[in-house]
Amino acid sequence: MDVITLGEMMVMFVATEAGPLRGIELFRKHVAGSEANVAIGLARLGHRAGWISRLGDDEFGLYIRNFLRGEGVDVSQVILDPEHPTGVAFKERRELGARKVIYYRRGSAASFLSPSDLNPSYFVGARYFHVSGINPALSPSCHETVLAAIEIAHQAGALVSFDPNVRLRLWDAETCRTTLRGILPRCDIVLPGADEAELLTGESDPERAARAIRALGPRLVLVKLGAQGSLGVSDDGIIRVPAFPLERVVDPVGAGDGFAAGFLSGQLRGWSIAESMRLGNLVGACAMSVSGDVEGLPTWDEVQALQSSRDVAR
Ligand code: KDG
């Protein structure tokens, strides 16, 4: 496997019209889950990606498993749980202000993931293990599973990539900060947004925040800066890569997952950090061009067409 990911995927109902959910009658069914989004992004770009999780043994669980399978993501490590349901989320659309994602995920099958669900032989030969700060927020056993999986991945020789994915609807800021700071020293690559980097370090300047995260252990920190592109801090110094030009942001949710998929794809191709970040920015922009998390993620052919039309990479 090139990249193994672990996390919860939910069925996500996206409002077809803008406005508060109480007035919405129609929703479109999508899948949503940060780490699985990354696996889909990588599979579309031509890499071997696997996803570890639990889903309810119910209609939505089967829908998600089939969807991922159809995208070419390996789902051999997905357990169908007959006792707990697949998580559900709703996404509101607003013309003004931030979009809201509402969860119905407490007690979901994925929140029962435990270290005994991990199969160390699955990690043999993996190049990267990608996980996010959503999992440790779901339950103590999910937190333990993340720590155990990081350990297994390192033993197998994989690099660990970590997106803090701060979700303050799942836990309070202080618990989040303390828990995620306990995970950061075990990671090789950390990909926070600017606000997440600040929450984790207390530094509002992204460069200082990235340095503070590096001081905890990770060799590479990539801060996502939205319209300002991304910032990379490593032993080689500081790299700033402008955003891929996008005429209209339809929905920013999922952009970070696109960035992670693009960046890891670049690294798997042996590209430099700057070139990989450029691909990350491009894939992140593609994710923002549609209202679902994954529908906009490009195939490798689409990436090449975009690169040659805009002459932005390689
Ligand atoms: O990164 C996008 C995710 O936030 C979205 O898919 C929902 O995974 C999700 C979550 O738990 O918030």
Side-chain angles (χ1 to χ4, degrees):
M1 209 54 63
D2 293 323
V3 182
I4 295 173
T5 69
L6 177 151
E8 173 164 35
M9 186 162 242
M10 299 168 285
V11 64
M12 163 93 83
F13 292 95
V14 181
T16 55
E17 286 172 82
L21 287 189
R22 75 192 85 126
I24 300 299
E25 288 177 359
L26 296 175
F27 296 83
R28 199 175 298 276
K29 182 156 71 85
H30 293 265
V31 291
S34 176
E35 307 80 1
N37 294 347
V38 174
I40 292 170
L42 284 158
R44 289 215 188 144
L45 293 170
H47 305 287
R48 290 170 306 146
W51 178 65
I52 301 171
S53 194
R54 279 180 174 264
L55 290 165
D57 191 0
D58 50 33
E59 289 302 320
F60 293 149
L62 296 176
Y63 162 62
I64 291 169
R65 193 180 62 169
N66 291 350
F67 185 93
L68 285 163
R69 197 178 265 153
E71 290 289 340
V73 174
D74 181 68
V75 290
S76 62
Q77 306 301 303
V78 175
I79 297 166
L80 289 182
D81 179 337
E83 279 160 34
H84 306 102
T86 302
V88 177
F90 291 86
K91 186 152 68 180
E92 193 176 79
R93 300 170 70 166
R94 296 259 183 173
E95 298 300 331
L96 297 170
R99 290 174 162 229
K100 236 195 256 165
V101 175
I102 294 142
Y103 303 130
Y104 293 84
R105 72 196 300 184
R106 191 160 301 160
S108 68
S111 70
F112 285 89
L113 259 177
S114 78
S116 61
D117 293 332
L118 301 170
N119 174 5
S121 64
Y122 188 63
F123 288 74
V124 174
R127 307 264 310 272
Y128 291 92
F129 172 61
H130 176 83
V131 71
S132 98
I134 294 173
N135 295 275
L138 298 180
S139 68
S141 76
C142 279
H143 183 200
E144 284 163 30
T145 309
V146 169
L147 298 179
I150 289 176
E151 182 66 31
I152 293 170
H154 275 149
Q155 274 167 16
L159 292 175
V160 172
S161 146
F162 183 74
D163 181 342
N165 261 341
V166 168
R167 298 286 182 268
L168 293 179
R169 280 189 304 286
L170 295 175
W171 51 1
D172 66 85
E174 195 41 46
T175 312
C176 170
R177 202 183 83 89
T178 314
T179 309
L180 298 191
R181 280 180 68 94
I183 295 174
L184 293 176
R186 306 161 197 248
C187 304
D188 300 287
I189 306 172
V190 179
L191 311 96
D195 49 345
E196 294 171 332
E198 179 175 356
L199 181 133
L200 291 170
T201 64
E203 298 280 2
S204 59
D205 173 59
E207 197 179 309
R208 290 169 71 102
R211 287 187 194 284
I213 293 174
R214 271 199 87 213
L216 297 171
R219 69 177 177 88
L220 175 61
V221 179
L222 302 166
V223 187
K224 295 164 279 185
L225 301 172
Q228 272 75 51
S230 49
L231 165 80
V233 181
S234 72
D235 283 342
D236 300 336
I238 310 244
I239 301 166
R240 286 182 186 274
V241 177
F244 186 82
L246 183 65
E247 271 155 36
R248 191 169 79 92
V249 173
V250 176
D251 178 3
V253 180
D257 304 330
F259 178 82
F263 179 78
L264 293 177
S265 173
Q267 293 288 282
L268 288 163
R269 289 167 202 277
W271 292 6
S272 69
I273 292 174
E275 288 169 319
S276 303
M277 286 167 68
R278 208 163 284 136
L279 182 57
N281 289 355
L282 182 152
V283 178
C286 291
M288 292 194 284
S289 65
V290 297
S291 67
D293 286 7
V294 298
E295 287 75 1
L297 295 170
T299 62
W300 183 239
D301 285 349
E302 287 166 342
V303 165
Q304 284 174 308
L306 281 167
Q307 282 176 334
S308 54
S309 68
R310 307 234 183 155
D311 191 31
V312 289
R314 284 176 77 79

